[in-house]
Amino acid sequence: MSDVQEATKQLLDVNLHENWRANQVTESGPRSESEHLQVTIGATVPTGFEQTAADEVREKLGSSCKISKDRGKIYFDISVESLAQVHCLRSVDNLFVVVKEFKDYQFKETKEEVLKDFEELAGKLPWSDPLKVWKINTSFKKKKTKRKKINQNSGREKIDNGQGDKTDEKEDKKGFTNNTLDSHILDYYENPAIKEEISTLVGDDLASSKDEKDEKEETHPKVLKFRVTCNRAGEKHCFSSNEAARDFGGAVQDYFKWKADMTNFDVEVLLNIHDNEIVVGIALTEESLHRRNITHFGPTTLRSTLAYGMLRLCAPQPTDIIVDPMCGTGAIPIEGATEWSNCYHIAGDNNPLAVNRAANNISSLLTKSQIKEGKVSWSLPIDAVQWDICNLPLRTGSVDIIVTDMPFGKRMGSKKRNWNLYPACLREMSRVCKPGTGRAALLTQDKKCFTKALSGMGHVWRKVHTVWVNIGGLHAAVYLLKRTPQAFVHPSEQDGERTPWCKE
């Protein structure tokens, strides 16, 4: 326990990346040791997109990645100085640092024996390094809060970060050095509501008094509050999740002398149990990273992480035209414009309310981009349009990629209407999509209807892959389709008369 407290104190003002490199010669042993600390990070991802997330980790971090047998989780090893980059991953929902993994944990026969083992386990785990990582991770959020106050007090009319942010005397005393990388990372901790991003504090005196209060709290560290969250899967356990969390949490409290608090906690300890596999971790995110772009929500807003996974399945290339013909609040094209800015993205929907929400989300993203870059910019490659999905105002063969969340027939539309809508949608998508190279990623829970519609479109669409996903408890699928080389023939040219494909 003394080692943990000492490490926590030493790492209170630790800085990552450029700060560490610049001070490498002058820093003492503990700081240098932390720089090269190797840890295992766990991440929850949209169920079904584990491989997509693993590919992103290998591509952006250069780390080997292991997909958990417990669906919806991946694990990868990093050096602690790469922790900031982990928060930039687009495919992960929540992050945690692994304390210990037991691949084949031997449970005792009775509940009492198992729970007793959990109590004894708390004092045997290697907590020191994971708590160092948690402290470093917490410093991100502290610096974000201070940076946010500086930006707010500088005024909304002129924001100039070109020559570096100005820091107050309190930050200088504590040795904080603001840099471009920190600015980029800290944005991922911002509340998604843009109004909070650009709001002005009541007055400088209020901000100053809060800073003094925070400084006093840091001078006299308080007792940490914590909670234990148990996620359990498997049918052969003789105990419940609540029982495991209760007994393990009690032992953690006795070991660290922390205070238990189920709602207002500083540290969240995770106890993940899947059959005979146990992973103990410490959470690094307070809320899911998928809440990053959307400020105006609709009844079926898609998670940004799932939108990223669907787009990545289609492997966008520079100059591609990417369309979401049923965009809703615009989650997919907004995610696309953020990650694939060298493509052009179109968000369309037949509902004017949906188009309005999408336009507002695009505007919020643009405003946030302007705040971050410190200059006016109108460079987002995205547009929002109201249209009829069955009669798109797009030229034949003009679209490279179509990615959309189709009506499930639950909260939006109806199962009965889907039997006419799906074939009409696939037909119109085949018209605007480029023969031979075009592709589509389509999400739906109405698998029976979609399969039937696709069976009649075999001459223009070929199914490449199916990803099974869980959407709010609904068993859904993402169908990756490839446009065949066959040219599109309009039904009116076949039947000799033009008839509407679907009725609104």
Side-chain angles (χ1 to χ4, degrees):
M1 179 176 175
S2 59
D3 292 339
V4 174
Q5 290 178 334
E6 182 180 358
T8 301
K9 182 178 179 181
Q10 290 172 345
L11 291 166
L12 181 61
D13 296 329
V14 70
N15 289 311
L16 297 178
H17 300 281
E18 279 80 1
N19 278 359
W20 280 351
R21 296 188 183 97
N23 298 329
Q24 200 169 24
V25 177
T26 59
E27 289 295 333
S28 58
R31 186 72 56 88
S32 299
E33 180 183 349
S34 297
E35 178 182 353
H36 301 291
L37 183 66
Q38 294 286 327
V39 294
T40 299
I41 299 295
T44 61
V45 302
T47 303
F49 281 89
E50 295 87 357
Q51 187 59 55
T52 301
D55 291 342
E56 185 192 14
V57 169
R58 296 188 188 100
E59 175 187 306
K60 295 182 178 179
L61 300 180
S63 301
S64 59
C65 190
K66 182 188 73 171
I67 297 174
S68 172
K69 62 181 181 180
D70 184 11
R71 295 192 70 194
K73 295 184 181 67
I74 60 172
Y75 298 97
F76 50 93
D77 297 328
I78 62 164
S79 62
V80 75
E81 65 176 349
S82 300
L83 182 60
Q85 294 173 293
V86 175
H87 284 274
C88 289
L89 295 173
R90 312 295 293 182
S91 57
V92 302
D93 288 319
N94 289 285
L95 299 166
F96 58 95
V97 56
V98 175
V99 177
K100 183 73 173 180
E101 178 183 8
F102 301 91
K103 295 182 179 180
D104 188 20
Y105 188 87
Q106 298 299 315
F107 292 101
K108 298 291 179 59
E109 293 184 1
T110 67
K111 180 197 300 186
E112 290 74 17
E113 290 177 317
V114 172
L115 296 179
K116 182 65 176 178
D117 285 348
F118 282 158
E119 292 179 8
E120 297 176 353
L121 181 64
K124 301 176 182 178
L125 296 175
W127 294 101
S128 181
D129 286 351
L131 281 172
K132 290 179 184 179
V133 175
W134 172 84
K135 192 62 184 180
I136 294 171
N137 189 76
T138 303
S139 73
F140 287 156
K141 289 174 282 187
K142 289 182 179 178
K143 287 190 284 183
K144 177 268 298 182
T145 302
K146 293 182 179 294
R147 184 185 301 279
K148 183 176 178 180
K149 292 178 180 178
I150 293 171
N151 287 340
Q152 290 168 334
N153 292 329
S154 67
R156 288 179 289 180
E157 293 184 1
K158 183 177 180 180
I159 304 173
D160 184 11
N161 294 336
Q163 299 181 1
D165 295 323
K166 295 181 180 179
T167 57
D168 56 24
E169 293 181 0
K170 294 181 179 61
E171 284 188 287
D172 291 336
K173 289 180 181 178
K174 295 200 288 183
F176 285 119
T177 303
N178 297 321
N179 52 59
T180 304
L181 180 60
D182 282 338
S183 178
H184 178 67
I185 301 307
L186 297 179
D187 285 329
Y188 289 91
Y189 288 99
E190 295 294 346
N191 189 294
I194 198 66
K195 63 181 180 181
E196 293 189 23
E197 184 85 53
I198 62 176
S199 61
T200 305
L201 293 178
V202 174
D204 292 339
D205 293 338
L206 176 61
S208 176
S209 65
K210 288 183 178 179
D211 283 342
E212 293 175 0
K213 182 178 179 181
D214 292 342
E215 192 174 75
K216 289 180 180 179
E217 290 179 353
E218 291 176 359
T219 304
H220 303 88
K222 61 180 181 180
V223 176
L224 290 178
K225 301 176 188 176
F226 84 105
R227 81 173 185 186
V228 172
T229 301
C230 179
N231 299 297
R232 184 180 60 87
E235 300 178 356
K236 298 181 180 180
H237 302 134
C238 60
F239 56 91
S240 67
S241 298
N242 288 337
E243 290 170 335
R246 179 197 64 202
D247 287 41
F248 182 72
V252 170
Q253 184 177 22
D254 293 340
Y255 183 73
F256 288 108
K257 306 304 178 185
W258 291 342
K259 181 180 179 181
D261 193 319
M262 296 299 103
T263 55
N264 186 27
F265 52 87
D266 302 301
V267 184
E268 182 177 21
V269 179
L270 305 175
L271 182 61
N272 296 328
I273 304 173
H274 180 78
D275 293 331
N276 287 340
E277 181 183 80
I278 293 182
V279 178
V280 180
I282 299 176
L284 300 179
T285 48
E286 294 179 0
E287 67 173 5
S288 177
L289 295 179
H290 84 269
R291 297 176 60 87
R292 53 174 175 251
N293 294 328
I294 304 302
T295 59
H296 297 75
F297 290 86
T300 58
T301 299
L302 197 67
R303 299 166 74 94
S304 296
T305 46
L306 183 54
Y308 172 85
M310 293 173 64
L311 285 159
R312 191 179 174 98
L313 282 179
C314 295
Q317 301 299 313
T319 74
D320 275 353
I321 306 297
I322 305 177
V323 173
D324 182 352
M326 294 177 278
C327 69
T329 52
I332 293 173
I334 286 175
E335 185 66 22
T338 304
E339 182 70 7
W340 290 277
S341 58
N342 51 9
C343 299
Y344 183 61
H345 306 265
I346 304 177
D349 203 288
N350 70 331
N351 189 329
L353 292 177
V355 176
N356 186 53
R357 290 192 190 102
N360 286 333
N361 284 323
I362 294 170
S363 177
S364 296
L365 180 63
L366 181 60
T367 304
K368 186 174 182 179
S369 177
Q370 292 171 356
I371 291 174
K372 183 167 63 176
E373 296 177 4
K375 61 182 179 180
V376 176
S377 173
W378 302 101
S379 59
L380 287 177
I382 183 173
D383 272 323
V385 185
Q386 182 178 350
W387 58 27
D388 175 7
I389 173 59
C390 302
N391 294 282
L392 297 175
L394 299 171
R395 289 182 178 178
T396 298
S398 61
V399 175
D400 296 284
I401 296 173
I402 296 175
V403 182
T404 196
D405 175 10
M406 303 184 74
F408 285 14
K410 299 275 187 184
R411 283 177 290 179
M412 295 294 291
S414 67
K415 295 271 188 176
K416 182 178 180 180
R417 185 169 180 266
N418 284 349
W419 287 98
N420 293 325
L421 178 65
Y422 279 20
C425 289
L426 287 175
R427 189 180 298 113
E428 181 67 347
M429 290 177 188
S430 71
R431 181 185 71 81
V432 301
C433 210
K434 289 183 179 178
T437 60
R439 53 261 191 221
L442 309 179
L443 168 66
T444 180
Q445 189 263 340
D446 196 350
K447 300 178 289 294
K448 181 178 180 181
C449 181
F450 185 87
T451 302
K452 176 67 175 178
L454 185 62
S455 65
M457 297 288 166
H459 57 295
V460 288
W461 288 115
R462 178 174 61 87
K463 185 174 73 172
V464 178
H465 185 50
T466 303
V467 178
W468 303 105
V469 297
N470 187 305
I471 308 293
L474 297 177
H475 187 57
V478 175
Y479 295 92
L480 179 61
L481 309 180
K482 181 72 178 292
R483 180 67 168 85
T484 67
Q486 182 169 329
F488 175 80
V489 178
H490 198 283
S492 62
E493 298 178 20
Q494 295 175 336
D495 303 334
E497 59 179 85
R498 189 180 183 90
T499 57
W501 295 350
C502 68
K503 184 179 293 185
E504 291 300 323

